[in-house]
């Protein structure tokens, strides 16, 4: 059998625009999970429901730069 071509993985790029200082620890941990830890850093992640949920939890601290 012929192998199916790998599906193109969609990605999403997020930028941290807010400080985690004086935020709940869960929000700080979510930023770390998104590979963000300092202002104006960007991270390109796989676009999955779990990543979308993490972005929703800290939507006041991050900005979606692009979602291909």
């Amino acid at each position: 059998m012929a192998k199916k071509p790998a599906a193109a993985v969609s990605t999403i790029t997020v930028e941290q625009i807010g400080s985690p200082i004086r935020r709940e620890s869960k929000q700080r941990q979510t930023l770390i999970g998104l590979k963000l830890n300092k202002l104006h850093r960007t991270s390109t992640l796989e676009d999955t429901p779990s990543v979308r949920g993490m972005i929703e939890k800290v939507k006041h601290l991050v900005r979606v730069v692009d979602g291909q």
Side-chain angles (χ1 to χ4, degrees):
M1 285 182 84
K3 290 184 178 180
K4 292 183 181 179
V9 177
S10 61
T11 60
I12 187 166
T13 303
V14 293
E15 178 184 8
Q16 184 175 344
I17 59 170
S19 174
I21 295 173
R22 290 200 274 169
R23 303 290 179 183
E24 295 179 9
S25 65
K26 286 187 178 186
Q27 291 179 1
R28 280 184 256 140
Q29 294 300 316
T30 302
L31 286 173
I32 292 169
L34 290 171
K35 300 179 183 170
L36 299 170
N37 63 350
K38 291 186 179 180
L39 288 177
H40 307 294
R41 290 246 172 123
T42 60
S43 177
T44 302
L45 306 161
E46 189 174 337
D47 191 8
T48 62
S50 61
V51 170
R52 289 280 182 169
M54 292 169 74
I55 292 170
E56 183 65 27
K57 283 222 171 222
V58 291
K59 64 185 174 189
H60 55 288
L61 300 175
V62 298
R63 175 172 60 106
V64 176
V65 178
D66 70 358
Q68 298 174 351

